[in-house]
Amino acid sequence: MTQTFDVFIAGAGTAGIAAAGFAARRGAKVLLVDGAERIGGTLFISGGNMSAGGTRLQRQRGINDSAEDHFQDIMRISKNTADPAIARLAVAHAADTIHWLLDIGLELLPDMPVITYGHEPYSVPRTYWGPELGVSILKTLSPWLQQSIASGAVDLRLRTKLVGLRQDRERNVVGAVIKGPDGVHRDVTASNYVLATGGYTANTHLYPMLNHGHPLYALGYDHSQGEGIVLGVGAGGYVRGGEMFLPTFGGVRDPDRPGYYKGGCA
Ligand SMILES: Cc1cc2nc3c(=O)[nH]c(=O)nc-3n(C[C@H](O)[C@H](O)[C@H](O)COP(=O)(O)OP(=O)(O)OC[C@H]3O[C@@H](n4cnc5c(N)ncnc54)[C@H](O)[C@@H]3O)c2cc1C
């Protein structure tokens, strides 16, 4: 039997959790599936560093900053290669995102914000993270999502993968096929379909195909297999930005895991 929702979301990482929680709070009935046994995705290994200009934390410390200064710094550091439309969108919402996370309980290290040196440094302290890095963010988002699960607005299914998209003659996506832990394929329909299955840095075959032949030596999350990208491209979408490939982190190849490296440094 086909189940119907307002919003279907594949992937319960940073993007999928936020999409599900906000859609639910705006009245939608949401199905959120994740192939892993727990939510969080790449947040388990992420540094959890977030940058934002014009926050109340900066004001409290007398740091003069704004979304516009943040944007100008991004263009300077990227030597004008950043997509200005995307950069403007990101900086415009960055301070509000930090404030929202703080309001729902995010704990930050006491000396935040700081200047970091993982990339060419910003001109002012503008970067924030918690004591458990990406996990600090997850520990904030989990109870926030749980409220929508408890209210029945979000149906969360773990160990459940998106395995196919159904399309009509005009190639509109009209259904999703999911596979649960019992191995059974089920049809789902929704008014909106969100692919939030993350990246592909655990897929040694897909990685060189999308990065001009560069081989994969990654520190990615095991579930970052690019499955949503493959399905999205198959449905008529496209991937862009491969020409911007820029390897910046280094480490030592892991002899036990081909395609992975151990540790890392900037
Ligand atoms: C080592 C490392 C450090 C990083 N540090 C930072 C940092 O300091 N600051 C920063 O801003 N960014 C950082 N990043 C990047 C950042 O963590 C990611 O960009 C972000 O977490 C991606 O979120 P996402 O929701 O798009 O994808 P993910 O978090 O990868 O979530 C995707 C989810 O989809 C699920 N999934 C995959 N395929 C399927 C399928 N077919 N069906 C159902 N579910 C599926 C996965 O299990 C996963 O839970 C770092 C990344 C790495 C690897």
Side-chain angles (χ1 to χ4, degrees):
M1 197 184 82
T2 303
Q3 285 191 284
T4 302
F5 296 84
D6 296 317
V7 185
F8 167 80
I9 301 170
T14 314
I17 294 171
F22 279 111
R25 281 165 172 80
R26 289 167 191 173
K29 178 111 183 77
V30 180
L31 175 61
L32 175 62
V33 302
D34 200 293
E37 63 289 341
R38 55 187 182 172
I39 67 165
T42 302
L43 281 174
F44 285 104
I45 56 174
S46 166
N49 290 201
M50 298 172 284
S51 299
T55 65
R56 60 188 189 225
L57 287 178
Q58 288 176 313
R59 280 195 292 279
Q60 282 161 14
R61 279 152 206 251
I63 300 163
N64 192 14
D65 198 13
S66 66
E68 179 60 27
D69 288 354
H70 189 178
F71 174 77
Q72 295 300 338
D73 246 6
I74 290 171
M75 300 316 284
R76 172 185 62 80
I77 291 168
S78 71
K79 300 184 171 51
N80 288 317
T81 59
D83 182 324
I86 293 176
R88 282 217 179 271
L89 190 65
V91 300
H93 295 281
D96 284 347
T97 302
I98 295 287
H99 294 153
W100 167 64
L101 285 168
L102 290 170
D103 291 344
I104 63 168
L106 177 66
E107 185 192 347
L108 294 175
L109 285 172
D111 53 345
M112 298 290 132
V114 294
I115 294 182
T116 55
Y117 297 91
H119 54 70
E120 195 177 319
Y122 282 132
S123 49
V124 294
R126 187 185 283 145
T127 304
Y128 315 72
W129 66 88
E132 294 181 77
L133 309 175
V135 172
S136 290
I137 299 172
L138 179 57
K139 284 186 171 176
T140 308
L141 293 179
S142 286
W144 178 81
L145 178 67
Q146 189 55 44
Q147 291 168 0
S148 298
I149 296 170
S151 75
V154 173
D155 178 349
L156 171 66
R157 299 188 202 170
L158 297 172
R159 294 193 292 138
T160 300
K161 277 193 165 200
L162 170 68
V163 293
L165 293 172
R166 296 202 191 284
Q167 292 176 273
D168 64 15
R169 284 200 191 136
E170 282 81 43
R171 302 203 77 190
N172 300 306
V173 173
V174 292
V177 185
I178 59 173
K179 187 173 142 190
D182 57 5
V184 175
H185 287 68
R186 291 185 174 81
D187 281 311
V188 172
T189 60
S191 307
N192 303 277
Y193 299 86
V194 179
L195 298 182
T197 53
Y200 50 93
T201 54
N203 189 325
T204 48
H205 300 291
L206 187 59
Y207 191 86
M209 286 168 62
L210 295 177
N211 286 294
H212 295 251
H214 292 284
L216 173 67
Y217 293 105
L219 191 60
Y221 182 54
D222 285 351
H223 294 272
S224 296
Q225 295 291 339
E227 289 163 357
I229 294 173
V230 171
L231 288 170
V233 169
Y238 61 91
V239 178
R240 65 186 175 96
E243 73 283 0
M244 306 292 280
F245 178 77
L246 177 66
T248 54
F249 292 89
V252 178
R253 285 186 196 176
D254 186 340
D256 301 323
R257 301 183 81 200
Y260 280 76
Y261 71 80
K262 285 181 170 178
C265 56

